[in-house]
Amino acid sequence: MTAPLPALALALSLPLFSHGFSFQSSPLAHMKPSLPSALSSTSTAYDATTSSNIADDASTNFWKWRGHDIFTEMRSATTSQQNDGDDDEDSTKKPAVILLHGFGASTTYWRETMSVLQSEGYDVHALDLLGQGRSSKPLPSKPFEGLYSADEGVSDTNSEVSVMKMGENTDTKVEYSIDLWANLVDDYARHHQLDEIVLMGNSLGSLVALSAATGDFIDSNTNRESVSTYLAGNNNVGETSRVKGVCLFNCAVGLNSQNVIKNPSFNSVQRAALGWLFGALNNLIFDNEFLLTYALNNIVTKELLADALKSLYIVSPDRVDEELVDSFYYPAKLGGDGAVEAIRQIYCNDAGLTPLEYHKKYPEILDSMPLHLIWGLEDVVTPIQGDVGLFYCDRVANNRGGKSMTTIDCVKSGHMPFDDNPVETHNAMMKWLNKKIVKK
């Protein structure tokens, strides 16, 4: 998700923040978006109950990364599904898929997506990003040791865990950023020796996917011209990319809403005013550890959280069930000081690059890579009419990359289309995979 982190940010601050650049003064706001119609009913339909038939095949583990417990869920396709019965096994071999959740979410809300992908022959990997979900929520006491880690810096614990077991809150100072999580994803793919990969992200997870796919996360520490990341590779040193495509669901504008200051239509006075506003809100609320702790302990309830989530589920509010609510509630309640620190940093830290900036910085990568947007038209957090949504609509309608590699489907849904309207969303997802990735 985007505006909410564990219960507090979701239930209390959602009306205040939007990660979509939805200012009417933006020059993009005057452009009518070219929105493709929904997929026809003749497309393959996916039953929203499929997860109950395949969930027993899931493997859940804590994977050890730099001493932290990272919760992972993996589902493997059968050989017959993966090769689709073709005599030439390599011609239809399907890449692995890594699912990257949004702010405050976890592997749980990918439940239908994992089932559909597995049933269609894909190996699926879903991660709880560090500081969120069931993964460790580090405590600020020791200095953090850089961004990039070598192969020996990651290992497995291979321990089966119950659904709500939490990773240990490690005694380490961590600076949360899109780069940090992209490095985590890169190390995960390296450690598990994943060869061909499709990255899929929702909201904030979309930025993590873009950073991992471009290798942007190593720029601040290492010369990009001479170093290759596992996923992005580096043509300069003869390493090709392992990323075969990227699919973004309701893409966010950054780590937090402070990236709205980058709106291209704002003058210096407007930017200064917004900077002051964000600074004031951070000082009063999100950088106030006492207030955050009090709210998590005394204000947030399952009922409050369920109501907030239902406001984001436009098509199927009944899908906000106990499983979903618990996946947001318990990481916040059981995360202790680590959960408070995660909320504080994610709202207050530098917001990183916008999607627009990734495309400007890495045209040689993103213009040549299959990139698909699936957007819930009823989303109030990252609206299609915001600058990010309109940027991608314009990019598709006018073939801005020059190679027709960016595509978009819009569905009737809120912020999490894959769980709010799983049938229509997964029709669009599978159509793109079949046409652009597997190329049957």
Side-chain angles (χ1 to χ4, degrees):
M1 293 183 52
T2 306
L5 186 81
L8 169 71
L10 175 62
L12 301 183
S13 68
L14 180 59
L16 298 177
F17 292 89
S18 168
H19 287 205
F21 271 11
S22 56
F23 291 91
Q24 294 302 310
S25 59
S26 166
L28 289 178
H30 299 294
M31 181 183 72
K32 183 177 180 180
S34 175
L35 304 180
S37 59
L39 293 176
S40 68
S41 59
T42 59
S43 300
T44 304
Y46 298 95
D47 190 338
T49 63
T50 53
S51 62
S52 61
N53 299 324
I54 307 181
D56 290 342
D57 296 335
S59 172
T60 58
N61 293 275
F62 281 115
W63 168 63
K64 212 73 169 177
W65 185 65
R66 302 182 186 170
H68 308 299
D69 296 327
I70 305 300
F71 183 82
T72 68
E73 186 169 350
M74 294 170 281
R75 299 192 187 185
S76 298
T78 65
T79 302
S80 60
Q81 289 170 321
Q82 191 171 54
N83 296 315
D84 205 27
D86 198 295
D87 292 336
D88 183 356
E89 187 170 303
D90 289 336
S91 66
T92 58
K93 182 175 176 60
K94 296 172 180 176
V97 177
I98 298 180
L99 301 173
L100 304 170
H101 64 77
F103 189 4
S106 67
T107 64
T108 298
Y109 77 163
W110 292 115
R111 48 198 173 180
E112 301 299 341
T113 307
M114 285 188 281
S115 295
V116 168
L117 288 167
Q118 183 188 25
S119 70
E120 288 294 317
Y122 292 86
D123 291 337
V124 189
H125 302 255
L127 315 178
D128 281 0
L129 299 174
L130 181 65
Q132 303 185 64
R134 283 158 281 192
S135 291
S136 295
K137 298 166 184 63
L139 301 173
S141 62
K142 294 181 180 179
F144 183 53
E145 298 180 355
L147 278 174
Y148 190 74
S149 59
D151 290 343
E152 59 267 24
V154 291
S155 63
D156 264 328
T157 60
N158 295 318
S159 58
E160 287 295 323
V161 299
S162 63
V163 173
M164 295 313 295
K165 180 178 179 180
M166 301 294 164
E168 180 183 356
N169 283 8
T170 44
D171 187 12
T172 308
K173 182 178 181 181
V174 168
E175 182 177 350
Y176 290 106
S177 67
I178 298 299
D179 287 348
L180 173 72
W181 291 320
N183 193 176
L184 185 159
V185 173
D186 194 78
D187 281 348
Y188 178 88
R190 177 192 295 109
H191 178 73
H192 289 84
Q193 299 182 333
L194 303 181
D195 187 20
E196 296 186 340
I197 299 162
V198 172
L199 298 172
M200 296 188 178
N202 169 230
S203 194
L204 177 151
S206 297
L207 280 302
V208 178
L210 289 172
S211 180
T214 58
D216 181 74
F217 64 89
I218 66 167
D219 273 3
S220 60
N221 290 338
T222 309
N223 182 1
R224 181 75 169 90
E225 295 298 318
S226 60
V227 173
S228 171
T229 68
Y230 183 80
L231 288 175
N234 189 339
N235 289 333
N236 293 325
V237 295
E239 294 287 340
T240 59
S241 173
R242 290 178 168 85
V243 180
K244 300 306 174 184
V246 176
C247 185
L248 310 179
F249 300 89
N250 289 62
C251 183
V253 76
L255 177 67
N256 52 55
S257 294
Q258 294 180 71
N259 265 356
V260 300
I261 296 174
K262 296 178 180 179
N263 186 296
S265 69
F266 290 160
N267 58 39
S268 58
V269 175
Q270 290 171 313
R271 289 193 175 92
L274 280 172
W276 179 89
L277 176 61
F278 280 118
L281 288 171
N282 286 342
N283 288 334
L284 290 172
I285 302 174
F286 296 111
D287 204 18
N288 187 329
E289 295 181 19
F290 174 80
L291 178 60
L292 293 178
T293 302
Y294 177 83
L296 284 177
N297 290 338
N298 300 286
I299 297 177
V300 171
T301 64
K302 286 189 177 183
E303 292 75 17
L304 183 66
L305 182 54
D307 288 342
L309 283 167
K310 286 178 181 178
S311 72
L312 303 178
Y313 278 62
I314 306 301
V315 174
S316 305
D318 57 312
R319 290 184 59 77
V320 179
D321 54 16
E322 183 178 9
E323 177 188 32
L324 184 70
V325 173
D326 285 353
S327 72
F328 285 87
Y329 180 81
Y330 286 110
K333 287 292 187 178
L334 302 180
D337 292 342
V340 172
E341 177 66 7
I343 297 173
R344 186 192 69 78
Q345 284 201 38
I346 292 172
Y347 268 97
C348 298
N349 286 0
D350 183 86
L353 298 182
T354 69
L356 291 69
E357 290 174 316
Y358 278 109
H359 282 272
K360 183 177 181 180
K361 189 175 182 180
Y362 299 105
E364 73 284 357
I365 297 176
L366 296 178
D367 288 353
S368 302
M369 180 182 295
L371 192 154
H372 192 55
L373 289 299
I374 299 179
W375 217 288
L377 289 174
E378 307 300 320
D379 186 11
V380 297
V381 181
T382 57
I384 190 69
Q385 296 86 2
D387 278 8
V388 175
L390 289 176
F391 165 78
Y392 279 117
C393 288
D394 174 68
R395 180 175 173 82
V396 173
N398 295 290
N399 191 20
R400 297 296 184 191
K403 299 180 181 179
S404 300
M405 298 299 283
T406 303
T407 51
I408 189 168
D409 277 299
C410 297
V411 299
K412 182 175 176 59
S413 172
H415 191 55
M416 291 85 79
F418 44 86
D419 201 40
D420 184 19
N421 187 354
V423 173
E424 189 176 355
T425 299
H426 293 140
N427 283 345
M429 179 186 74
M430 290 310 307
K431 182 179 179 180
W432 172 72
L433 286 170
N434 291 336
K435 183 178 180 180
K436 293 289 189 178
I437 305 300
V438 179
K439 299 180 181 178
K440 293 182 179 179

